[in-house]
PDB file of all heavy atoms in Angstrom:
ATOM      1  N   GLU A  81       0.828  -1.205   0.000  1.00 94.00           N
ATOM      2  CA  GLU A  81       0.000   0.000   0.000  1.00 94.00           C
ATOM      3  C   GLU A  81       0.864   1.258   0.000  1.00 94.00           C
ATOM      4  O   GLU A  81       0.559   2.234  -0.683  1.00 94.00           O
ATOM      5  CB  GLU A  81      -0.932  -0.013   1.205  1.00 94.00           C
ATOM      6  CG  GLU A  81      -1.910   1.136   1.215  1.00 94.00           C
ATOM      7  CD  GLU A  81      -2.936   1.030   2.335  1.00 94.00           C
ATOM      8  OE1 GLU A  81      -2.728   0.245   3.283  1.00 94.00           O
ATOM      9  OE2 GLU A  81      -3.948   1.745   2.261  1.00 94.00           O
ATOM     10  N   ALA A  82       1.948   1.227   0.753  1.00 93.00           N
ATOM     11  CA  ALA A  82       2.822   2.398   0.844  1.00 93.00           C
ATOM     12  C   ALA A  82       3.485   2.740  -0.501  1.00 93.00           C
ATOM     13  O   ALA A  82       3.799   3.901  -0.751  1.00 93.00           O
ATOM     14  CB  ALA A  82       3.894   2.166   1.910  1.00 93.00           C
ATOM     15  N   TYR A  83       3.641   1.751  -1.360  1.00 93.00           N
ATOM     16  CA  TYR A  83       4.239   2.006  -2.679  1.00 93.00           C
ATOM     17  C   TYR A  83       3.325   2.823  -3.590  1.00 93.00           C
ATOM     18  O   TYR A  83       3.770   3.411  -4.558  1.00 93.00           O
ATOM     19  CB  TYR A  83       4.596   0.679  -3.358  1.00 93.00           C
ATOM     20  CG  TYR A  83       5.967   0.164  -3.020  1.00 93.00           C
ATOM     21  CD1 TYR A  83       6.215  -0.532  -1.848  1.00 93.00           C
ATOM     22  CD2 TYR A  83       7.036   0.365  -3.891  1.00 93.00           C
ATOM     23  CE1 TYR A  83       7.472  -1.010  -1.539  1.00 93.00           C
ATOM     24  CE2 TYR A  83       8.296  -0.113  -3.599  1.00 93.00           C
ATOM     25  CZ  TYR A  83       8.510  -0.799  -2.425  1.00 93.00           C
ATOM     26  OH  TYR A  83       9.757  -1.266  -2.130  1.00 93.00           O
ATOM     27  N   ARG A  84       2.031   2.804  -3.304  1.00 92.00           N
ATOM     28  CA  ARG A  84       1.038   3.564  -4.061  1.00 92.00           C
ATOM     29  C   ARG A  84       0.979   3.189  -5.548  1.00 92.00           C
ATOM     30  O   ARG A  84       0.721   4.045  -6.407  1.00 92.00           O
ATOM     31  CB  ARG A  84       1.281   5.065  -3.934  1.00 92.00           C
ATOM     32  CG  ARG A  84       1.167   5.593  -2.535  1.00 92.00           C
ATOM     33  CD  ARG A  84       1.370   7.086  -2.519  1.00 92.00           C
ATOM     34  NE  ARG A  84       1.444   7.576  -1.157  1.00 92.00           N
ATOM     35  CZ  ARG A  84       1.881   8.781  -0.845  1.00 92.00           C
ATOM     36  NH1 ARG A  84       2.260   9.618  -1.782  1.00 92.00           N
ATOM     37  NH2 ARG A  84       1.928   9.155   0.423  1.00 92.00           N
ATOM     38  N   LEU A  85       1.215   1.938  -5.853  1.00 93.00           N
ATOM     39  CA  LEU A  85       1.177   1.489  -7.244  1.00 93.00           C
ATOM     40  C   LEU A  85       0.088   0.451  -7.493  1.00 93.00           C
ATOM     41  O   LEU A  85      -0.268   0.195  -8.637  1.00 93.00           O
ATOM     42  CB  LEU A  85       2.535   0.905  -7.657  1.00 93.00           C
ATOM     43  CG  LEU A  85       3.682   1.909  -7.703  1.00 93.00           C
ATOM     44  CD1 LEU A  85       5.004   1.201  -7.921  1.00 93.00           C
ATOM     45  CD2 LEU A  85       3.448   2.940  -8.798  1.00 93.00           C
ATOM     46  N   VAL A  86      -0.435  -0.149  -6.435  1.00 93.00           N
ATOM     47  CA  VAL A  86      -1.476  -1.172  -6.552  1.00 93.00           C
ATOM     48  C   VAL A  86      -2.794  -0.545  -6.100  1.00 93.00           C
ATOM     49  O   VAL A  86      -2.856   0.023  -5.008  1.00 93.00           O
ATOM     50  CB  VAL A  86      -1.134  -2.409  -5.679  1.00 93.00           C
ATOM     51  CG1 VAL A  86      -2.236  -3.446  -5.743  1.00 93.00           C
ATOM     52  CG2 VAL A  86       0.204  -3.009  -6.095  1.00 93.00           C
ATOM     53  N   PRO A  87      -3.830  -0.641  -6.934  1.00 95.00           N
ATOM     54  CA  PRO A  87      -5.132  -0.097  -6.508  1.00 95.00           C
ATOM     55  C   PRO A  87      -5.593  -0.734  -5.198  1.00 95.00           C
ATOM     56  O   PRO A  87      -5.363  -1.924  -4.954  1.00 95.00           O
ATOM     57  CB  PRO A  87      -6.075  -0.477  -7.658  1.00 95.00           C
ATOM     58  CG  PRO A  87      -5.187  -0.732  -8.820  1.00 95.00           C
ATOM     59  CD  PRO A  87      -3.879  -1.220  -8.267  1.00 95.00           C
ATOM     60  N   ARG A  88      -6.228   0.064  -4.356  1.00 95.00           N
ATOM     61  CA  ARG A  88      -6.652  -0.376  -3.026  1.00 95.00           C
ATOM     62  C   ARG A  88      -7.447  -1.687  -3.079  1.00 95.00           C
ATOM     63  O   ARG A  88      -7.251  -2.570  -2.252  1.00 95.00           O
ATOM     64  CB  ARG A  88      -7.476   0.717  -2.353  1.00 95.00           C
ATOM     65  CG  ARG A  88      -7.845   0.388  -0.920  1.00 95.00           C
ATOM     66  CD  ARG A  88      -8.514   1.557  -0.215  1.00 95.00           C
ATOM     67  NE  ARG A  88      -7.655   2.707  -0.028  1.00 95.00           N
ATOM     68  CZ  ARG A  88      -6.751   2.833   0.952  1.00 95.00           C
ATOM     69  NH1 ARG A  88      -6.586   1.867   1.810  1.00 95.00           N
ATOM     70  NH2 ARG A  88      -6.019   3.914   1.057  1.00 95.00           N
ATOM     71  N   ALA A  89      -8.316  -1.836  -4.069  1.00 95.00           N
ATOM     72  CA  ALA A  89      -9.147  -3.048  -4.172  1.00 95.00           C
ATOM     73  C   ALA A  89      -8.312  -4.297  -4.456  1.00 95.00           C
ATOM     74  O   ALA A  89      -8.760  -5.409  -4.200  1.00 95.00           O
ATOM     75  CB  ALA A  89     -10.198  -2.872  -5.258  1.00 95.00           C
ATOM     76  N   LEU A  90      -7.115  -4.115  -4.983  1.00 96.00           N
ATOM     77  CA  LEU A  90      -6.265  -5.257  -5.342  1.00 96.00           C
ATOM     78  C   LEU A  90      -5.154  -5.524  -4.328  1.00 96.00           C
ATOM     79  O   LEU A  90      -4.362  -6.450  -4.511  1.00 96.00           O
ATOM     80  CB  LEU A  90      -5.649  -5.034  -6.729  1.00 96.00           C
ATOM     81  CG  LEU A  90      -6.636  -4.930  -7.881  1.00 96.00           C
ATOM     82  CD1 LEU A  90      -5.904  -4.650  -9.185  1.00 96.00           C
ATOM     83  CD2 LEU A  90      -7.479  -6.183  -7.993  1.00 96.00           C
ATOM     84  N   LEU A  91      -5.073  -4.731  -3.275  1.00 95.00           N
ATOM     85  CA  LEU A  91      -3.979  -4.889  -2.310  1.00 95.00           C
ATOM     86  C   LEU A  91      -3.990  -6.255  -1.631  1.00 95.00           C
ATOM     87  O   LEU A  91      -2.950  -6.906  -1.533  1.00 95.00           O
ATOM     88  CB  LEU A  91      -4.028  -3.783  -1.253  1.00 95.00           C
ATOM     89  CG  LEU A  91      -3.489  -2.440  -1.701  1.00 95.00           C
ATOM     90  CD1 LEU A  91      -3.803  -1.370  -0.656  1.00 95.00           C
ATOM     91  CD2 LEU A  91      -2.000  -2.514  -1.957  1.00 95.00           C
ATOM     92  N   THR A  92      -5.125  -6.694  -1.153  1.00 95.00           N
ATOM     93  CA  THR A  92      -5.182  -7.991  -0.465  1.00 95.00           C
ATOM     94  C   THR A  92      -4.862  -9.139  -1.424  1.00 95.00           C
ATOM     95  O   THR A  92      -4.010  -9.976  -1.103  1.00 95.00           O
ATOM     96  CB  THR A  92      -6.541  -8.181   0.237  1.00 95.00           C
ATOM     97  OG1 THR A  92      -6.667  -7.140   1.220  1.00 95.00           O
ATOM     98  CG2 THR A  92      -6.624  -9.537   0.920  1.00 95.00           C
ATOM     99  N   PRO A  93      -5.509  -9.204  -2.614  1.00 96.00           N
ATOM    100  CA  PRO A  93      -5.130 -10.287  -3.525  1.00 96.00           C
ATOM    101  C   PRO A  93      -3.655 -10.227  -3.937  1.00 96.00           C
ATOM    102  O   PRO A  93      -2.983 -11.260  -4.014  1.00 96.00           O
ATOM    103  CB  PRO A  93      -6.037 -10.080  -4.741  1.00 96.00           C
ATOM    104  CG  PRO A  93      -7.153  -9.227  -4.282  1.00 96.00           C
ATOM    105  CD  PRO A  93      -6.639  -8.428  -3.125  1.00 96.00           C
ATOM    106  N   ALA A  94      -3.134  -9.031  -4.166  1.00 96.00           N
ATOM    107  CA  ALA A  94      -1.724  -8.903  -4.562  1.00 96.00           C
ATOM    108  C   ALA A  94      -0.791  -9.337  -3.444  1.00 96.00           C
ATOM    109  O   ALA A  94       0.237  -9.971  -3.695  1.00 96.00           O
ATOM    110  CB  ALA A  94      -1.419  -7.459  -4.974  1.00 96.00           C
ATOM    111  N   SER A  95      -1.159  -9.024  -2.201  1.00 94.00           N
ATOM    112  CA  SER A  95      -0.282  -9.406  -1.080  1.00 94.00           C
ATOM    113  C   SER A  95      -0.256 -10.918  -0.886  1.00 94.00           C
ATOM    114  O   SER A  95       0.701 -11.447  -0.326  1.00 94.00           O
ATOM    115  CB  SER A  95      -0.716  -8.698   0.208  1.00 94.00           C
ATOM    116  OG  SER A  95      -1.976  -9.144   0.640  1.00 94.00           O
ATOM    117  N   VAL A  96      -1.270 -11.611  -1.351  1.00 96.00           N
ATOM    118  CA  VAL A  96      -1.286 -13.075  -1.298  1.00 96.00           C
ATOM    119  C   VAL A  96      -0.614 -13.656  -2.543  1.00 96.00           C
ATOM    120  O   VAL A  96       0.171 -14.604  -2.459  1.00 96.00           O
ATOM    121  CB  VAL A  96      -2.737 -13.602  -1.167  1.00 96.00           C
ATOM    122  CG1 VAL A  96      -2.792 -15.109  -1.306  1.00 96.00           C
ATOM    123  CG2 VAL A  96      -3.341 -13.157   0.158  1.00 96.00           C
ATOM    124  N   LEU A  97      -0.903 -13.079  -3.701  1.00 97.00           N
ATOM    125  CA  LEU A  97      -0.394 -13.627  -4.958  1.00 97.00           C
ATOM    126  C   LEU A  97       1.109 -13.439  -5.148  1.00 97.00           C
ATOM    127  O   LEU A  97       1.769 -14.312  -5.720  1.00 97.00           O
ATOM    128  CB  LEU A  97      -1.139 -13.021  -6.144  1.00 97.00           C
ATOM    129  CG  LEU A  97      -2.561 -13.534  -6.348  1.00 97.00           C
ATOM    130  CD1 LEU A  97      -3.258 -12.777  -7.463  1.00 97.00           C
ATOM    131  CD2 LEU A  97      -2.557 -15.026  -6.632  1.00 97.00           C
ATOM    132  N   LEU A  98       1.659 -12.333  -4.690  1.00 96.00           N
ATOM    133  CA  LEU A  98       3.098 -12.112  -4.897  1.00 96.00           C
ATOM    134  C   LEU A  98       3.967 -13.174  -4.214  1.00 96.00           C
ATOM    135  O   LEU A  98       4.849 -13.746  -4.862  1.00 96.00           O
ATOM    136  CB  LEU A  98       3.501 -10.702  -4.479  1.00 96.00           C
ATOM    137  CG  LEU A  98       3.252  -9.645  -5.543  1.00 96.00           C
ATOM    138  CD1 LEU A  98       3.501  -8.249  -4.996  1.00 96.00           C
ATOM    139  CD2 LEU A  98       4.114  -9.888  -6.754  1.00 96.00           C
ATOM    140  N   PRO A  99       3.760 -13.490  -2.936  1.00 95.00           N
ATOM    141  CA  PRO A  99       4.579 -14.550  -2.349  1.00 95.00           C
ATOM    142  C   PRO A  99       4.324 -15.919  -2.988  1.00 95.00           C
ATOM    143  O   PRO A  99       5.260 -16.701  -3.168  1.00 95.00           O
ATOM    144  CB  PRO A  99       4.210 -14.561  -0.867  1.00 95.00           C
ATOM    145  CG  PRO A  99       3.126 -13.599  -0.677  1.00 95.00           C
ATOM    146  CD  PRO A  99       2.936 -12.819  -1.930  1.00 95.00           C
ATOM    147  N   LEU A 100       3.066 -16.186  -3.358  1.00 97.00           N
ATOM    148  CA  LEU A 100       2.782 -17.448  -4.046  1.00 97.00           C
ATOM    149  C   LEU A 100       3.487 -17.501  -5.398  1.00 97.00           C
ATOM    150  O   LEU A 100       4.006 -18.549  -5.791  1.00 97.00           O
ATOM    151  CB  LEU A 100       1.272 -17.625  -4.237  1.00 97.00           C
ATOM    152  CG  LEU A 100       0.465 -17.958  -2.994  1.00 97.00           C
ATOM    153  CD1 LEU A 100      -1.032 -17.973  -3.301  1.00 97.00           C
ATOM    154  CD2 LEU A 100       0.905 -19.286  -2.399  1.00 97.00           C
ATOM    155  N   THR A 101       3.517 -16.370  -6.087  1.00 97.00           N
ATOM    156  CA  THR A 101       4.202 -16.299  -7.382  1.00 97.00           C
ATOM    157  C   THR A 101       5.701 -16.520  -7.213  1.00 97.00           C
ATOM    158  O   THR A 101       6.306 -17.289  -7.964  1.00 97.00           O
ATOM    159  CB  THR A 101       3.932 -14.933  -8.047  1.00 97.00           C
ATOM    160  OG1 THR A 101       2.517 -14.807  -8.247  1.00 97.00           O
ATOM    161  CG2 THR A 101       4.655 -14.806  -9.372  1.00 97.00           C
ATOM    162  N   GLU A 102       6.298 -15.849  -6.242  1.00 96.00           N
ATOM    163  CA  GLU A 102       7.742 -16.031  -6.007  1.00 96.00           C
ATOM    164  C   GLU A 102       8.063 -17.486  -5.694  1.00 96.00           C
ATOM    165  O   GLU A 102       9.012 -18.047  -6.255  1.00 96.00           O
ATOM    166  CB  GLU A 102       8.210 -15.140  -4.858  1.00 96.00           C
ATOM    167  CG  GLU A 102       8.235 -13.670  -5.201  1.00 96.00           C
ATOM    168  CD  GLU A 102       8.595 -12.786  -4.015  1.00 96.00           C
ATOM    169  OE1 GLU A 102       8.515 -13.232  -2.854  1.00 96.00           O
ATOM    170  OE2 GLU A 102       8.965 -11.615  -4.266  1.00 96.00           O
ATOM    171  N   ALA A 103       7.274 -18.107  -4.830  1.00 97.00           N
ATOM    172  CA  ALA A 103       7.520 -19.509  -4.471  1.00 97.00           C
ATOM    173  C   ALA A 103       7.290 -20.424  -5.676  1.00 97.00           C
ATOM    174  O   ALA A 103       8.091 -21.326  -5.948  1.00 97.00           O
ATOM    175  CB  ALA A 103       6.629 -19.918  -3.301  1.00 97.00           C
ATOM    176  N   GLY A 104       6.211 -20.190  -6.394  1.00 98.00           N
ATOM    177  CA  GLY A 104       5.904 -21.021  -7.560  1.00 98.00           C
ATOM    178  C   GLY A 104       6.951 -20.925  -8.653  1.00 98.00           C
ATOM    179  O   GLY A 104       7.348 -21.939  -9.240  1.00 98.00           O
ATOM    180  N   LEU A 105       7.424 -19.716  -8.914  1.00 98.00           N
ATOM    181  CA  LEU A 105       8.463 -19.541  -9.929  1.00 98.00           C
ATOM    182  C   LEU A 105       9.766 -20.196  -9.499  1.00 98.00           C
ATOM    183  O   LEU A 105      10.476 -20.786 -10.313  1.00 98.00           O
ATOM    184  CB  LEU A 105       8.684 -18.056 -10.216  1.00 98.00           C
ATOM    185  CG  LEU A 105       7.538 -17.337 -10.921  1.00 98.00           C
ATOM    186  CD1 LEU A 105       7.827 -15.838 -11.013  1.00 98.00           C
ATOM    187  CD2 LEU A 105       7.281 -17.931 -12.298  1.00 98.00           C
ATOM    188  N   SER A 106      10.067 -20.103  -8.231  1.00 96.00           N
ATOM    189  CA  SER A 106      11.276 -20.726  -7.695  1.00 96.00           C
ATOM    190  C   SER A 106      11.235 -22.238  -7.894  1.00 96.00           C
ATOM    191  O   SER A 106      12.202 -22.839  -8.372  1.00 96.00           O
ATOM    192  CB  SER A 106      11.412 -20.389  -6.213  1.00 96.00           C
ATOM    193  OG  SER A 106      12.494 -21.058  -5.661  1.00 96.00           O
ATOM    194  N   VAL A 107      10.127 -22.844  -7.540  1.00 96.00           N
ATOM    195  CA  VAL A 107       9.973 -24.296  -7.706  1.00 96.00           C
ATOM    196  C   VAL A 107       9.948 -24.652  -9.190  1.00 96.00           C
ATOM    197  O   VAL A 107      10.550 -25.654  -9.609  1.00 96.00           O
ATOM    198  CB  VAL A 107       8.703 -24.793  -6.980  1.00 96.00           C
ATOM    199  CG1 VAL A 107       8.402 -26.240  -7.303  1.00 96.00           C
ATOM    200  CG2 VAL A 107       8.851 -24.596  -5.470  1.00 96.00           C
ATOM    201  N   GLY A 108       9.297 -23.824  -9.988  1.00 97.00           N
ATOM    202  CA  GLY A 108       9.205 -24.077 -11.426  1.00 97.00           C
ATOM    203  C   GLY A 108      10.542 -24.090 -12.145  1.00 97.00           C
ATOM    204  O   GLY A 108      10.674 -24.709 -13.207  1.00 97.00           O
ATOM    205  N   LEU A 109      11.544 -23.424 -11.577  1.00 96.00           N
ATOM    206  CA  LEU A 109      12.881 -23.458 -12.185  1.00 96.00           C
ATOM    207  C   LEU A 109      13.468 -24.865 -12.196  1.00 96.00           C
ATOM    208  O   LEU A 109      14.318 -25.175 -13.027  1.00 96.00           O
ATOM    209  CB  LEU A 109      13.842 -22.539 -11.420  1.00 96.00           C
ATOM    210  CG  LEU A 109      13.775 -21.061 -11.694  1.00 96.00           C
ATOM    211  CD1 LEU A 109      14.750 -20.316 -10.784  1.00 96.00           C
ATOM    212  CD2 LEU A 109      14.072 -20.745 -13.142  1.00 96.00           C
ATOM    213  N   PHE A 110      13.028 -25.718 -11.289  1.00 96.00           N
ATOM    214  CA  PHE A 110      13.553 -27.081 -11.204  1.00 96.00           C
ATOM    215  C   PHE A 110      12.869 -28.036 -12.181  1.00 96.00           C
ATOM    216  O   PHE A 110      13.322 -29.158 -12.354  1.00 96.00           O
ATOM    217  CB  PHE A 110      13.415 -27.619  -9.772  1.00 96.00           C
ATOM    218  CG  PHE A 110      14.334 -26.948  -8.807  1.00 96.00           C
ATOM    219  CD1 PHE A 110      13.900 -25.898  -8.030  1.00 96.00           C
ATOM    220  CD2 PHE A 110      15.654 -27.356  -8.684  1.00 96.00           C
ATOM    221  CE1 PHE A 110      14.747 -25.265  -7.143  1.00 96.00           C
ATOM    222  CE2 PHE A 110      16.510 -26.733  -7.802  1.00 96.00           C
ATOM    223  CZ  PHE A 110      16.060 -25.682  -7.027  1.00 96.00           C
ATOM    224  N   VAL A 111      11.776 -27.602 -12.807  1.00 96.00           N
ATOM    225  CA  VAL A 111      11.024 -28.457 -13.733  1.00 96.00           C
ATOM    226  C   VAL A 111      11.434 -28.086 -15.154  1.00 96.00           C
ATOM    227  O   VAL A 111      11.172 -26.961 -15.598  1.00 96.00           O
ATOM    228  CB  VAL A 111       9.499 -28.258 -13.534  1.00 96.00           C
ATOM    229  CG1 VAL A 111       8.709 -29.135 -14.499  1.00 96.00           C
ATOM    230  CG2 VAL A 111       9.119 -28.524 -12.092  1.00 96.00           C
ATOM    231  N   PRO A 112      12.072 -29.011 -15.872  1.00 95.00           N
ATOM    232  CA  PRO A 112      12.556 -28.671 -17.218  1.00 95.00           C
ATOM    233  C   PRO A 112      11.486 -28.085 -18.139  1.00 95.00           C
ATOM    234  O   PRO A 112      11.767 -27.147 -18.887  1.00 95.00           O
ATOM    235  CB  PRO A 112      13.081 -30.006 -17.755  1.00 95.00           C
ATOM    236  CG  PRO A 112      13.493 -30.754 -16.524  1.00 95.00           C
ATOM    237  CD  PRO A 112      12.475 -30.366 -15.481  1.00 95.00           C
ATOM    238  N   ALA A 113      10.267 -28.573 -18.068  1.00 97.00           N
ATOM    239  CA  ALA A 113       9.210 -28.086 -18.963  1.00 97.00           C
ATOM    240  C   ALA A 113       8.817 -26.639 -18.673  1.00 97.00           C
ATOM    241  O   ALA A 113       8.345 -25.936 -19.572  1.00 97.00           O
ATOM    242  CB  ALA A 113       7.981 -28.995 -18.860  1.00 97.00           C
ATOM    243  N   SER A 114       8.998 -26.184 -17.449  1.00 97.00           N
ATOM    244  CA  SER A 114       8.591 -24.814 -17.103  1.00 97.00           C
ATOM    245  C   SER A 114       9.773 -23.887 -16.843  1.00 97.00           C
ATOM    246  O   SER A 114       9.580 -22.706 -16.561  1.00 97.00           O
ATOM    247  CB  SER A 114       7.686 -24.836 -15.866  1.00 97.00           C
ATOM    248  OG  SER A 114       8.384 -25.325 -14.743  1.00 97.00           O
ATOM    249  N   ARG A 115      10.994 -24.407 -16.918  1.00 97.00           N
ATOM    250  CA  ARG A 115      12.181 -23.642 -16.534  1.00 97.00           C
ATOM    251  C   ARG A 115      12.314 -22.326 -17.306  1.00 97.00           C
ATOM    252  O   ARG A 115      12.531 -21.271 -16.720  1.00 97.00           O
ATOM    253  CB  ARG A 115      13.427 -24.492 -16.731  1.00 97.00           C
ATOM    254  CG  ARG A 115      14.689 -23.809 -16.261  1.00 97.00           C
ATOM    255  CD  ARG A 115      15.904 -24.697 -16.444  1.00 97.00           C
ATOM    256  NE  ARG A 115      15.782 -25.873 -15.594  1.00 97.00           N
ATOM    257  CZ  ARG A 115      15.965 -27.121 -16.023  1.00 97.00           C
ATOM    258  NH1 ARG A 115      16.279 -27.358 -17.275  1.00 97.00           N
ATOM    259  NH2 ARG A 115      15.842 -28.132 -15.187  1.00 97.00           N
ATOM    260  N   ALA A 116      12.189 -22.374 -18.632  1.00 97.00           N
ATOM    261  CA  ALA A 116      12.376 -21.167 -19.443  1.00 97.00           C
ATOM    262  C   ALA A 116      11.329 -20.111 -19.096  1.00 97.00           C
ATOM    263  O   ALA A 116      11.663 -18.936 -18.898  1.00 97.00           O
ATOM    264  CB  ALA A 116      12.331 -21.511 -20.925  1.00 97.00           C
TER     265      ALA A 116
END
């Protein structure tokens, strides 16, 4: 919220999705089909 770049209505979903995205992308690097 302090960054003032995410609309207020999307702050809660974004705060959940960003860590899930980081974790998912990290794990996906180990899978040859999704690595690129």
Side-chain angles (χ1 to χ4, degrees):
E81 185 174 16
Y83 272 82
R84 298 182 188 166
L85 294 172
V86 177
R88 185 173 295 279
L90 298 177
L91 282 171
T92 298
S95 67
V96 172
L97 286 175
L98 277 172
L100 287 175
T101 299
E102 289 175 343
L105 291 174
S106 175
V107 171
L109 281 177
F110 290 96
V111 180
S114 63
R115 184 179 295 131

